Amino acid sequence: MEKRLDWRVPSLTLRAQLWPHQLAAVTTIDGYLNKARGAQVGAALVTMPTGTGKSAVIAAAIENLSARRPVRARKKHVLVVAPWRGIVDQLTRDLRHRVWERLEAQRPETFPEVHDLPVTKEIGTLKQVRQPTVFVATTAKILQIYGRSGGGADDMRDLFAQFDAVFVDECHYEPAPRWSEALRSIARPTVLLTATPYRNDHKYFVVDPESQYGYSYADAVDDGFLRTPEFVPFTGADTAVFATELVGLIHEKTESHPDTRVIVRCRKATDIRELVELLRSKPYGKSAIGIHESFTTDEPAGLYRYVPNPDKTNDQIWVHQFKLVEGLDDPRFRILAFYDGLSNDRGTVQQIGRVLRNPRRSDTDDAAWVAHRPNFDVKEVWDNYKIFDVSAGEGLATRQELVTQLIAAAPTSIYYDGRFRVPLSLETDNAWRHLKFPLAARIYRPGAQMDLGQLANEIEAEWREEDREIQTRQYPSENAVILPFVSVANSPYLRTAAFLEARFGFTLLRHVGHHLFVFDTEGRTPESLGTIPLEVPSRLSRLLAKDSRLTTVSLDNTDLGRRAVRARTIRAAAIEDVAPGLADYAYVCSVAEGYPPASRDEDRFRRYLGISRSRLRDSRDSPNTYASFVEWSDSIAKALDGRMAPAATFRRYADTSKVPDDKAPLHVLLDVVANDFDRPGDGETRQELDLHDYASEIHNGSGTLRVERETLPFDLSWNSERGRYDFVCPALTKLNYREKSAPRRELVALINAEQRFRVVPASDEFFYANGHFAQPVRPDTAEDRFWLLDALTPVAALDTARSEKGKRRLGDDWEPGSVFNLIDELRKPQATEGPSAAMAEHFGKIDMLLCGDLNSEIADFIAVQPNRIAFIHAKAADGSQLAPSALHEVVSQATKNLLWLQPLNNEVPRAAKSDWNRNWKLTDDKTKVTQLVDRKRLGNFADGEAFWSHARSVIRDPNADREVWLVLGGTLSLSSVRKAVQRPTPELIQLYALLQSAWSATNQVGARMRVFCSR
């Protein structure tokens, strides 16, 4: 190929020296910039492989722009942006002199000076620069400037008003979607350049379809601009063998090119350091350097934090992690060795591109060598890339053309799922009539005034960035908008091959009164909704109102201690029938499921209420039409604004109706599941999040957390405008941990968006979880939360019962008025009319009563009927009305024998083989009189084992009630407990802890506890 000398233009000396593909790229840019001056158009896009002269294209385009600019033009500067400092330094050298030197051209006097963009705090000095200037900057600096402006596009437009154009090199790089937002806010014509056309940046920029130019790798090879890589598999896995094979390859391949340099890619800083030390030592004796972000530059040791200038460094082997993947354009690099692979194919292709440069198009320098260890087949990656390059694979999976093709390929008619169906037309404005609307939504409270159209615009832009192709917007009613979309993705079960899968979905926004209902078919929540408050828990709980039957609750603990249970989920036929835990009041209810009240059984339905995320889903019969969704959401909005009291069960848990005065954070625990996040690892592997799962202490808004055994600083502060905490941790953001599942959101962004942390604020008695404050309220200080009262049943006869067994028997019975006598009354038909009536009403069909007192007892009495069994424990005292100390013995006896009520405990009590077969016997210590009573109080059973077999049949029955009774004579008074709750005493706290623990423990074996006490 010959240079296009016929294009010489005296005033445009660089353009006259360009190769045809470079000239075509410059012509595309020139046409775009001319058009962009008079109209609002998208960005221009130039795709050229590494080594084919992107820097020359940028220089020539700026040269043309400068030559055409009027002398007193207001717009006189140019901004050049690149992702890395090393690339920025290289571009600076290129634009100052190297491009002209390499092309043997004269740098024109009209070409602007080249300088770094001022630092963020001095960015205001831009307006004082009079001479036309090319400013170069990293993406990070542009983001900092954008952050300084508060994310305001008006400030950015004003700041860069004197700029003619923006050139973005390596535009494929993806630090975050926000970087393209920052660049777009400059509002100047933008030229995107990339060496890797894997996506063409349609994702983050709107590209003008008439302003695109692509030069393929295959063409670059045919034209002689790039070398052809030859792949060399290494056999050794350890460092020493790798070094030996690498040095052997260098000696073999560099005889004709003694100036050859080598790139080695390692994943870990420790491996880089070890390999450099080994290569520099005997017997290798090679000049090697290592480059890593964590290094402190030590030239004698060959360690560098930043990439050194290749023109000022003579070292042959350069070992790195990421810093040489792009931006290095020295053609002396001819050998590349992968000690570790990169996490994605794009990075691998870029890394290989570093050794392919052949600027002189030499026939004797047209080969490069790429070596790799056995764990990384780089040749397969390269072969797939060549197919991609030849077939012009421009990421069609994210483009509307592919969606159109998929829809066009659908059959004109089909019988499926019991219906005759025709294809959905996504171009009509009444496509919404065909959609299915489940009774589900996430509920926000924006107030009565909200710009629904603007919100829809923001969400549509966000969905497009995530490769959702938005179809014709639907308006089923004046207060609703639907965004239909088609997503196309590769099958997650393919490692290297492609099988595209298309999914249809939609996002519905409906504004009702003060509420916004949002439904997305894939369960996604747009970040655009981040500034709109969610419905608060205290109102959401009204959706499971007072007579609702709760069947599931998920709870988050306010105790951040290392040994504390972080969260728990309880499922039961009815949560209200389950004993509260001792510390339930310190838990925040994040999810509740249950059945709202209904007048008829056939009208009952299950409701899921995600209190922490304001999610609602009803599982009931519905035609799933838009009309049914409207009726449902209207009824929900009415219930939220009503005065219906939530189910009483919610009062077991922390109160979410109040907000603390002092919200300054003292401690924080990141509320994320480490297994849900990963980041690029070695080769094709992913590294899971390694998070030290302990609460971090915070001083003046700052703290540290442990990630990957490293200490990372962070800041946490209350944002009063947004009503939430802001978590900032640049080091964690840089690690780029992302969700394993779509949409693979970055960890820190997700933590902030969903408030994934628990915070202990400065105000006492408050806690922050799931985006809301909560206040634990101890049950012994509030009667409406003192659930223990539900377990207490007053019995008048117990007011005067001062003895458990009495001092003398009466026939075959215990002394009247004793606690044992009251229990024994249960076997008599007239019990429901006597002093034991309050107990007898629970045993209307009693068929067995056994006295198990003394020796190896498991209960004082065991009462059984076909659908109920009770272990009964008796206690009597001197008439105390609130005496926790008197309860210790009976509570201890009850709890230590709970395992006998476990259905799968097949052991037989020792007493069943001995004591239960003999009379009950008690000898008075003073009178020495022995009293005998038949233990078999009711029931015809041959022996104790037969008795236990009958009891076990009831215990094993899932539909039977298993109960533990505490029958307390002169030990506890219900009225005294009620008074103490209103004015708590130390005795009440002890009593609460004792009985509540027993109640909860009883419930752990599926039993119910009843406490019969004085009035």
Side-chain angles (χ1 to χ4, degrees):
M1 179 186 293
E2 299 296 332
K3 291 185 179 180
R4 297 292 298 271
L5 299 180
D6 53 318
W7 283 87
R8 288 188 184 277
V9 180
S11 61
L12 303 177
T13 55
L14 184 57
R15 177 169 179 165
Q17 302 299 100
L18 296 179
W19 298 95
H21 70 278
Q22 296 170 328
L23 184 60
V26 173
T27 301
T28 299
I29 295 172
D30 287 346
Y32 163 75
L33 293 176
N34 286 332
K35 181 168 67 170
R37 287 192 180 92
Q40 187 71 28
V41 296
L45 177 64
V46 173
T47 304
M48 295 170 57
T50 298
T52 56
K54 282 196 281 88
S55 295
V57 169
I58 295 173
I62 295 174
E63 187 179 81
N64 293 352
L65 192 62
S66 302
R68 295 195 183 103
R69 184 189 296 118
V71 176
R72 296 186 178 182
R74 180 172 178 269
K75 294 177 174 60
K76 55 193 177 185
H77 304 316
V78 172
L79 177 63
V80 179
V81 181
W84 300 104
R85 183 70 244 177
I87 303 176
V88 167
D89 292 342
Q90 176 183 292
L91 283 168
T92 300
R93 293 193 295 269
D94 288 342
L95 297 177
R96 282 178 177 170
H97 57 85
R98 286 203 313 176
V99 166
W100 289 270
E101 291 172 358
R102 291 178 177 180
L103 293 177
E104 300 176 356
Q106 180 66 41
R107 189 178 190 273
E109 295 181 0
T110 57
F111 197 90
E113 294 183 5
V114 181
H115 295 291
D116 272 2
L117 192 69
V119 296
T120 305
K121 64 181 180 180
E122 298 175 3
I123 194 65
T125 61
L126 273 181
K127 295 182 179 181
Q128 301 170 15
V129 180
R130 302 302 178 191
Q131 287 295 110
T133 305
V134 174
F135 288 103
V136 291
T138 62
T139 302
K141 182 177 285 189
I142 300 299
L143 282 169
Q144 288 172 357
I145 295 169
Y146 187 53
R148 168 187 171 275
S149 68
D154 291 340
D155 290 345
M156 293 291 282
R157 279 195 296 268
D158 180 62
L159 187 61
F160 291 93
Q162 295 182 329
F163 282 68
D164 236 333
V166 180
F167 289 80
V168 184
D169 194 17
E170 307 293 357
C171 67
H172 55 266
Y173 184 70
E174 300 180 74
R178 191 170 170 83
W179 82 279
S180 61
E181 179 184 321
L183 285 170
R184 290 198 304 267
S185 70
I186 295 174
R188 304 309 309 143
T190 302
V191 179
L192 309 172
L193 301 102
T194 178
T196 312
Y198 81 106
R199 186 192 62 206
N200 285 0
D201 236 81
H202 288 279
K203 187 171 183 178
Y204 291 148
F205 289 92
V206 177
V207 176
D208 179 26
E210 298 177 355
S211 302
Q212 300 185 56
Y213 172 77
Y215 185 52
S216 71
Y217 165 78
D219 288 339
V221 172
D222 291 343
D223 293 342
F225 286 104
L226 297 180
R227 300 169 180 141
T228 300
E230 297 179 10
F231 296 92
V232 182
F234 282 177
T235 60
D238 63 38
T239 306
V241 176
F242 177 86
T244 300
E245 291 186 288
L246 175 62
V247 171
L249 178 66
I250 294 172
H251 290 162
E252 176 187 347
K253 302 297 184 182
T254 59
E255 291 184 5
S256 59
H257 297 286
D259 63 339
T260 292
R261 292 182 170 183
V262 181
I263 296 174
V264 179
R265 196 273 162 175
C266 288
R267 181 169 61 91
K268 298 179 181 177
T270 53
D271 290 337
I272 295 174
R273 189 187 298 271
E274 179 184 358
L275 195 54
V276 168
E277 290 178 357
L278 185 61
L279 291 168
R280 291 165 69 99
S281 67
K282 295 179 180 181
Y284 304 108
K286 291 293 182 182
S287 56
I289 61 173
I291 308 162
H292 193 274
E293 184 71 24
S294 66
F295 291 166
T296 298
T297 298
D298 182 357
E299 292 187 19
L303 301 179
Y304 292 82
R305 183 173 184 180
Y306 302 107
V307 179
N309 187 337
D311 297 332
K312 298 180 180 181
T313 306
N314 296 321
D315 296 282
Q316 183 182 31
I317 304 175
W318 295 36
V319 189
H320 79 111
Q321 181 190 34
F322 295 120
K323 289 184 176 290
L324 304 181
V325 170
E326 44 192 10
L328 189 69
D329 64 352
D330 188 337
R332 290 174 291 180
F333 286 98
R334 296 182 180 89
I335 296 177
L336 166 66
F338 285 98
Y339 184 85
D340 296 307
L342 285 144
S343 62
N344 60 68
D345 289 358
R346 171 181 60 80
T348 302
V349 169
Q350 287 177 284
Q351 182 69 92
I352 295 173
R354 298 303 109 198
V355 297
L356 301 185
R357 288 176 172 272
N358 186 14
R360 298 186 182 279
R361 302 172 64 213
S362 171
D363 293 339
T364 61
D365 192 15
D366 61 353
W369 295 273
V370 179
H372 56 91
R373 292 202 290 174
N375 64 344
F376 181 49
D377 188 359
V378 68
K379 185 177 185 301
E380 181 185 21
V381 174
W382 186 255
D383 289 343
N384 288 343
Y385 164 70
K386 288 195 298 182
I387 296 172
F388 176 91
D389 177 75
V390 171
S391 61
E394 297 180 353
L396 280 176
T398 65
R399 299 178 60 163
Q400 178 62 34
E401 295 97 297
L402 178 58
V403 173
T404 303
Q405 293 170 17
L406 289 170
I407 294 174
T412 56
S413 179
I414 187 174
Y415 182 77
Y416 186 80
D417 198 20
R419 288 183 177 273
F420 292 101
R421 301 174 184 269
V422 296
L424 173 65
S425 175
L426 297 175
E427 298 179 355
T428 63
D429 57 7
N430 65 349
W432 61 270
R433 298 182 183 277
H434 300 280
L435 305 183
K436 185 176 182 178
F437 298 89
L439 304 183
R442 195 169 188 184
I443 307 173
Y444 293 79
R445 196 175 183 88
Q449 302 299 320
M450 189 188 73
D451 191 335
L452 191 62
Q454 177 61 30
L455 179 60
N457 291 339
E458 294 173 4
I459 294 175
E460 179 171 333
E462 187 176 335
W463 283 168
R464 289 188 186 279
E465 287 185 353
E466 296 188 7
D467 293 340
R468 286 182 169 185
E469 288 298 328
I470 305 298
Q471 307 304 303
T472 302
R473 194 177 291 188
Q474 307 286 306
Y475 296 94
S477 60
E478 63 179 8
N479 64 340
V481 60
I482 300 172
L483 303 176
F485 59 81
V486 176
S487 297
V488 181
N490 194 41
S491 169
Y493 302 105
L494 293 175
R495 187 175 61 85
T496 56
F499 188 92
L500 299 181
E501 300 173 337
R503 299 189 311 277
F504 170 78
F506 64 88
T507 303
L508 165 66
L509 310 172
R510 184 167 188 262
H511 189 203
V512 184
H514 293 276
H515 299 92
L516 175 67
F517 291 81
V518 180
F519 171 74
D520 183 79
T521 52
E522 296 185 5
R524 291 291 319 286
T525 299
E527 292 185 10
S528 308
L529 293 169
T531 58
I532 302 177
L534 291 166
E535 183 57 277
V536 297
S538 57
R539 278 194 288 264
L540 283 169
S541 56
R542 296 172 183 169
L543 300 179
L544 284 169
K546 57 182 181 180
D547 293 327
S548 299
R549 177 166 61 90
L550 272 61
T551 58
T552 302
V553 289
S554 293
L555 308 170
D556 295 326
N557 202 350
T558 62
D559 184 351
L560 303 187
R562 295 187 177 189
R563 294 173 180 82
V565 174
R566 296 283 164 76
R568 58 194 179 104
T569 297
I570 302 172
R571 291 186 176 91
I575 300 296
E576 54 266 31
D577 291 339
V578 175
L582 181 63
D584 268 6
Y585 70 92
Y587 281 80
V588 178
C589 185
S590 58
V591 174
E593 294 184 65
Y595 295 84
S599 56
R600 302 181 304 170
D601 285 343
E602 55 265 34
D603 293 333
R604 289 190 177 276
F605 64 91
R606 189 175 185 84
R607 170 166 287 172
Y608 170 91
L609 184 60
I611 298 174
S612 62
R613 306 289 177 221
S614 192
R615 295 185 184 277
L616 178 66
R617 182 178 65 249
D618 283 354
S619 300
R620 60 177 172 177
D621 290 337
S622 169
N624 294 134
T625 62
Y626 179 70
S628 64
F629 184 88
V630 167
E631 181 182 2
W632 173 77
S633 52
D634 284 347
S635 67
I636 297 299
K638 182 178 179 181
L640 290 170
D641 291 334
R643 297 183 178 277
M644 184 69 72
T649 306
F650 285 117
R651 293 201 299 276
R652 295 186 179 192
Y653 312 116
D655 181 12
T656 57
S657 64
K658 300 176 183 178
V659 175
D661 295 326
D662 191 348
K663 303 175 183 65
L666 300 182
H667 295 86
V668 65
L669 173 71
L670 294 189
D671 211 359
V672 297
V673 179
N675 189 49
D676 291 344
F677 298 86
D678 64 14
R679 69 179 183 87
D682 186 10
E684 297 179 1
T685 64
R686 306 289 300 180
Q687 181 171 333
E688 288 192 351
L689 175 61
D690 179 10
L691 175 66
H692 197 59
D693 193 23
Y694 293 143
S696 299
E697 192 171 358
I698 300 175
H699 299 282
N700 298 321
S702 298
T704 60
L705 55 90
R706 295 277 292 175
V707 177
E708 295 184 8
R709 295 175 293 281
E710 298 288 338
T711 300
L712 308 183
F714 69 83
D715 293 324
L716 185 70
S717 59
W718 177 255
N719 186 328
S720 57
E721 292 185 4
R722 302 189 67 178
R724 53 172 254 182
Y725 284 100
D726 288 336
F727 174 77
V728 179
C729 185
L732 183 56
T733 301
K734 188 174 182 179
L735 288 174
N736 198 29
Y737 278 104
R738 292 182 177 272
E739 294 174 292
K740 290 182 180 179
S741 57
R744 293 194 57 78
R745 290 172 291 180
E746 189 274 324
L747 175 59
V748 174
L750 177 64
I751 287 173
N752 280 303
E754 298 191 359
Q755 297 288 277
R756 292 278 194 93
F757 38 65
R758 306 184 199 185
V759 178
V760 177
S763 286
D764 290 341
E765 299 181 0
F766 278 91
F767 183 77
Y768 184 86
N770 304 317
H772 304 283
F773 286 101
Q775 185 182 31
V777 180
R778 262 185 23 216
D780 60 309
T781 63
E783 184 171 349
D784 65 337
R785 295 172 180 266
F786 200 85
W787 301 102
L788 190 59
L789 293 172
D790 293 346
L792 303 183
T793 301
V795 178
L798 291 174
D799 291 351
T800 56
R802 299 290 187 271
S803 173
E804 288 180 29
K805 306 156 188 177
K807 294 184 179 181
R808 60 185 178 84
R809 76 179 179 186
L810 184 63
D812 188 30
D813 201 347
W814 287 269
E815 183 177 354
S818 67
V819 177
F820 269 41
N821 175 256
L822 290 172
I823 296 171
D824 190 57
E825 288 290 313
L826 293 174
R827 64 187 172 91
K828 300 176 181 179
Q830 67 273 24
T832 55
E833 300 175 0
S836 300
M839 295 185 290
E841 70 178 48
H842 298 291
F843 271 91
K845 298 179 181 180
I846 189 169
D847 60 15
M848 184 180 86
L849 182 66
L850 172 79
C851 176
D853 182 46
L854 300 179
N855 300 323
S856 54
E857 64 188 59
I858 64 174
D860 290 328
F861 288 86
I862 300 176
V864 182
Q865 65 183 34
N867 62 348
R868 177 176 278 111
I869 182 170
F871 281 16
I872 304 175
H873 305 273
K875 182 66 178 177
D878 58 2
S880 300
Q881 296 182 327
L882 198 65
S885 58
L887 293 174
H888 278 287
E889 182 180 347
V890 69
V891 168
S892 175
Q893 176 179 305
T895 53
K896 74 180 182 181
N897 288 299
L898 285 174
L899 291 182
W900 294 109
L901 281 171
Q902 214 288 329
L904 298 181
N905 181 6
N906 290 319
E907 291 189 45
V908 177
R910 186 172 61 184
K913 301 177 181 180
S914 56
D915 293 340
W916 292 359
N917 296 314
R918 295 188 288 266
N919 285 336
W920 178 87
K921 180 173 66 173
L922 181 65
T923 301
D924 189 280
D925 290 338
K926 294 182 179 180
T927 65
K928 305 302 180 180
V929 175
T930 298
Q931 302 184 62
L932 298 176
V933 177
D934 188 356
R935 289 182 180 275
K936 303 181 186 69
R937 310 306 295 161
L938 181 66
N940 185 20
F941 298 95
D943 54 26
E945 291 186 76
F947 185 99
W948 180 247
S949 178
H950 177 62
R952 283 287 298 156
S953 69
V954 179
I955 292 173
R956 289 194 301 267
D957 183 355
N959 294 314
D961 287 329
R962 288 168 277 150
E963 300 184 357
V964 173
W965 288 14
L966 304 184
V967 183
L968 309 176
T971 304
L972 183 68
S973 162
L974 176 61
S975 59
S976 297
V977 173
R978 290 189 182 279
K979 291 178 181 178
V981 173
Q982 297 173 3
R983 184 173 295 178
T985 63
E987 289 80 9
L988 179 67
I989 298 175
Q990 297 174 36
L991 174 73
Y992 171 78
L994 188 65
L995 287 181
Q996 184 67 58
S997 297
W999 190 14
S1000 180
T1002 302
N1003 191 238
Q1004 296 300 306
V1005 296
R1008 179 204 305 266
M1009 187 179 79
R1010 298 182 188 276
V1011 180
F1012 297 95
C1013 62
S1014 305
R1015 291 176 295 176

mmCIF file of all heavy atoms in Angstrom, residues 165-182:
data_model
loop_
_atom_site.group_PDB
_atom_site.id
_atom_site.type_symbol
_atom_site.label_atom_id
_atom_site.label_comp_id
_atom_site.label_asym_id
_atom_site.label_seq_id
_atom_site.Cartn_x
_atom_site.Cartn_y
_atom_site.Cartn_z
ATOM 1 N N ALA A 165 -14.988 20.776 20.768
ATOM 2 C CA ALA A 165 -15.308 19.360 20.641
ATOM 3 C C ALA A 165 -14.651 18.575 21.775
ATOM 4 O O ALA A 165 -13.734 19.051 22.448
ATOM 5 C CB ALA A 165 -14.834 18.827 19.291
ATOM 6 N N VAL A 166 -15.146 17.358 21.961
ATOM 7 C CA VAL A 166 -14.592 16.438 22.941
ATOM 8 C C VAL A 166 -14.206 15.148 22.220
ATOM 9 O O VAL A 166 -15.021 14.567 21.493
ATOM 10 C CB VAL A 166 -15.606 16.111 24.056
ATOM 11 C CG1 VAL A 166 -15.000 15.137 25.060
ATOM 12 C CG2 VAL A 166 -16.066 17.378 24.753
ATOM 13 N N PHE A 167 -12.955 14.693 22.408
ATOM 14 C CA PHE A 167 -12.495 13.414 21.864
ATOM 15 C C PHE A 167 -12.326 12.441 23.032
ATOM 16 O O PHE A 167 -11.626 12.751 24.003
ATOM 17 C CB PHE A 167 -11.160 13.586 21.127
ATOM 18 C CG PHE A 167 -11.269 14.339 19.832
ATOM 19 C CD1 PHE A 167 -11.349 15.728 19.808
ATOM 20 C CD2 PHE A 167 -11.304 13.657 18.617
ATOM 21 C CE1 PHE A 167 -11.458 16.427 18.617
ATOM 22 C CE2 PHE A 167 -11.415 14.348 17.417
ATOM 23 C CZ PHE A 167 -11.487 15.742 17.418
ATOM 24 N N VAL A 168 -12.958 11.282 22.937
ATOM 25 C CA VAL A 168 -12.901 10.288 24.003
ATOM 26 C C VAL A 168 -12.178 9.051 23.479
ATOM 27 O O VAL A 168 -12.723 8.304 22.652
ATOM 28 C CB VAL A 168 -14.311 9.906 24.501
ATOM 29 C CG1 VAL A 168 -14.214 8.948 25.682
ATOM 30 C CG2 VAL A 168 -15.098 11.149 24.890
ATOM 31 N N ASP A 169 -10.925 8.859 23.926
ATOM 32 C CA ASP A 169 -10.163 7.693 23.495
ATOM 33 C C ASP A 169 -10.488 6.504 24.402
ATOM 34 O O ASP A 169 -10.782 6.669 25.587
ATOM 35 C CB ASP A 169 -8.665 8.001 23.557
ATOM 36 C CG ASP A 169 -7.842 6.965 22.801
ATOM 37 O OD1 ASP A 169 -8.432 6.224 21.989
ATOM 38 O OD2 ASP A 169 -6.618 6.905 23.016
ATOM 39 N N GLU A 170 -10.420 5.287 23.839
ATOM 40 C CA GLU A 170 -10.759 4.060 24.565
ATOM 41 C C GLU A 170 -12.152 4.179 25.176
ATOM 42 O O GLU A 170 -12.365 3.930 26.367
ATOM 43 C CB GLU A 170 -9.712 3.769 25.651
ATOM 44 C CG GLU A 170 -8.279 3.743 25.154
ATOM 45 C CD GLU A 170 -7.975 2.590 24.204
ATOM 46 O OE1 GLU A 170 -8.864 1.756 23.963
ATOM 47 O OE2 GLU A 170 -6.845 2.542 23.690
ATOM 48 N N CYS A 171 -13.108 4.561 24.362
ATOM 49 C CA CYS A 171 -14.454 4.863 24.881
ATOM 50 C C CYS A 171 -15.190 3.622 25.362
ATOM 51 O O CYS A 171 -16.234 3.727 26.002
ATOM 52 C CB CYS A 171 -15.287 5.569 23.818
ATOM 53 S SG CYS A 171 -15.665 4.503 22.392
ATOM 54 N N HIS A 172 -14.658 2.439 25.057
ATOM 55 C CA HIS A 172 -15.319 1.210 25.490
ATOM 56 C C HIS A 172 -15.171 0.979 26.986
ATOM 57 O O HIS A 172 -15.845 0.150 27.572
ATOM 58 C CB HIS A 172 -14.710 0.002 24.771
ATOM 59 C CG HIS A 172 -13.223 -0.077 24.956
ATOM 60 N ND1 HIS A 172 -12.349 0.464 24.042
ATOM 61 C CD2 HIS A 172 -12.473 -0.563 25.961
ATOM 62 C CE1 HIS A 172 -11.110 0.272 24.472
ATOM 63 N NE2 HIS A 172 -11.160 -0.346 25.634
ATOM 64 N N TYR A 173 -14.236 1.696 27.599
ATOM 65 C CA TYR A 173 -13.957 1.460 29.014
ATOM 66 C C TYR A 173 -15.174 1.768 29.860
ATOM 67 O O TYR A 173 -15.863 2.755 29.627
ATOM 68 C CB TYR A 173 -12.775 2.318 29.450
ATOM 69 C CG TYR A 173 -12.340 2.065 30.873
ATOM 70 C CD1 TYR A 173 -11.716 0.879 31.217
ATOM 71 C CD2 TYR A 173 -12.575 3.007 31.866
ATOM 72 C CE1 TYR A 173 -11.333 0.639 32.517
ATOM 73 C CE2 TYR A 173 -12.188 2.770 33.166
ATOM 74 C CZ TYR A 173 -11.571 1.587 33.486
ATOM 75 O OH TYR A 173 -11.196 1.351 34.778
ATOM 76 N N GLU A 174 -15.447 0.935 30.885
ATOM 77 C CA GLU A 174 -16.689 1.033 31.647
ATOM 78 C C GLU A 174 -16.468 1.264 33.141
ATOM 79 O O GLU A 174 -16.671 0.361 33.935
ATOM 80 C CB GLU A 174 -17.506 -0.251 31.498
ATOM 81 C CG GLU A 174 -17.889 -0.573 30.089
ATOM 82 C CD GLU A 174 -18.690 -1.861 30.057
ATOM 83 O OE1 GLU A 174 -19.852 -1.840 30.458
ATOM 84 O OE2 GLU A 174 -18.146 -2.874 29.647
ATOM 85 N N PRO A 175 -16.044 2.426 33.606
ATOM 86 C CA PRO A 175 -15.966 2.617 35.047
ATOM 87 C C PRO A 175 -17.343 2.660 35.690
ATOM 88 O O PRO A 175 -17.553 2.147 36.759
ATOM 89 C CB PRO A 175 -15.231 3.944 35.192
ATOM 90 C CG PRO A 175 -15.499 4.665 33.908
ATOM 91 C CD PRO A 175 -15.629 3.616 32.850
ATOM 92 N N ALA A 176 -18.295 3.299 35.021
ATOM 93 C CA ALA A 176 -19.663 3.386 35.533
ATOM 94 C C ALA A 176 -20.491 4.145 34.515
ATOM 95 O O ALA A 176 -19.962 4.947 33.743
ATOM 96 C CB ALA A 176 -19.698 4.130 36.874
ATOM 97 N N PRO A 177 -21.822 3.914 34.482
ATOM 98 C CA PRO A 177 -22.668 4.674 33.563
ATOM 99 C C PRO A 177 -22.556 6.178 33.778
ATOM 100 O O PRO A 177 -22.779 6.966 32.864
ATOM 101 C CB PRO A 177 -24.080 4.172 33.895
ATOM 102 C CG PRO A 177 -23.874 2.831 34.496
ATOM 103 C CD PRO A 177 -22.576 2.913 35.233
ATOM 104 N N ARG A 178 -22.205 6.599 34.990
ATOM 105 C CA ARG A 178 -22.177 8.025 35.307
ATOM 106 C C ARG A 178 -21.119 8.777 34.509
ATOM 107 O O ARG A 178 -21.238 9.977 34.299
ATOM 108 C CB ARG A 178 -21.936 8.187 36.816
ATOM 109 C CG ARG A 178 -22.135 9.610 37.323
ATOM 110 C CD ARG A 178 -22.122 9.611 38.840
ATOM 111 N NE ARG A 178 -22.065 10.942 39.396
ATOM 112 C CZ ARG A 178 -23.122 11.720 39.569
ATOM 113 N NH1 ARG A 178 -24.309 11.292 39.219
ATOM 114 N NH2 ARG A 178 -22.996 12.933 40.098
ATOM 115 N N TRP A 179 -20.083 8.062 34.033
ATOM 116 C CA TRP A 179 -19.037 8.787 33.314
ATOM 117 C C TRP A 179 -19.573 9.343 31.999
ATOM 118 O O TRP A 179 -19.242 10.457 31.601
ATOM 119 C CB TRP A 179 -17.822 7.895 33.087
ATOM 120 C CG TRP A 179 -17.917 6.969 31.898
ATOM 121 C CD1 TRP A 179 -18.548 5.786 31.836
ATOM 122 C CD2 TRP A 179 -17.316 7.181 30.617
ATOM 123 N NE1 TRP A 179 -18.399 5.224 30.604
ATOM 124 C CE2 TRP A 179 -17.638 6.058 29.827
ATOM 125 C CE3 TRP A 179 -16.537 8.193 30.062
ATOM 126 C CZ2 TRP A 179 -17.227 5.924 28.514
ATOM 127 C CZ3 TRP A 179 -16.120 8.055 28.747
ATOM 128 C CH2 TRP A 179 -16.465 6.936 27.989
ATOM 129 N N SER A 180 -20.418 8.567 31.292
ATOM 130 C CA SER A 180 -20.988 9.081 30.042
ATOM 131 C C SER A 180 -21.972 10.208 30.332
ATOM 132 O O SER A 180 -22.097 11.161 29.565
ATOM 133 C CB SER A 180 -21.679 7.961 29.276
ATOM 134 O OG SER A 180 -22.740 7.410 30.019
ATOM 135 N N GLU A 181 -22.651 10.108 31.477
ATOM 136 C CA GLU A 181 -23.553 11.191 31.896
ATOM 137 C C GLU A 181 -22.766 12.481 32.094
ATOM 138 O O GLU A 181 -23.199 13.560 31.676
ATOM 139 C CB GLU A 181 -24.254 10.775 33.186
ATOM 140 C CG GLU A 181 -25.200 11.792 33.765
ATOM 141 C CD GLU A 181 -25.769 11.335 35.098
ATOM 142 O OE1 GLU A 181 -26.074 10.131 35.229
ATOM 143 O OE2 GLU A 181 -25.892 12.182 36.001
ATOM 144 N N ALA A 182 -21.587 12.363 32.715
ATOM 145 C CA ALA A 182 -20.750 13.544 32.941
ATOM 146 C C ALA A 182 -20.279 14.136 31.624
ATOM 147 O O ALA A 182 -20.306 15.369 31.417
ATOM 148 C CB ALA A 182 -19.555 13.175 33.809
#
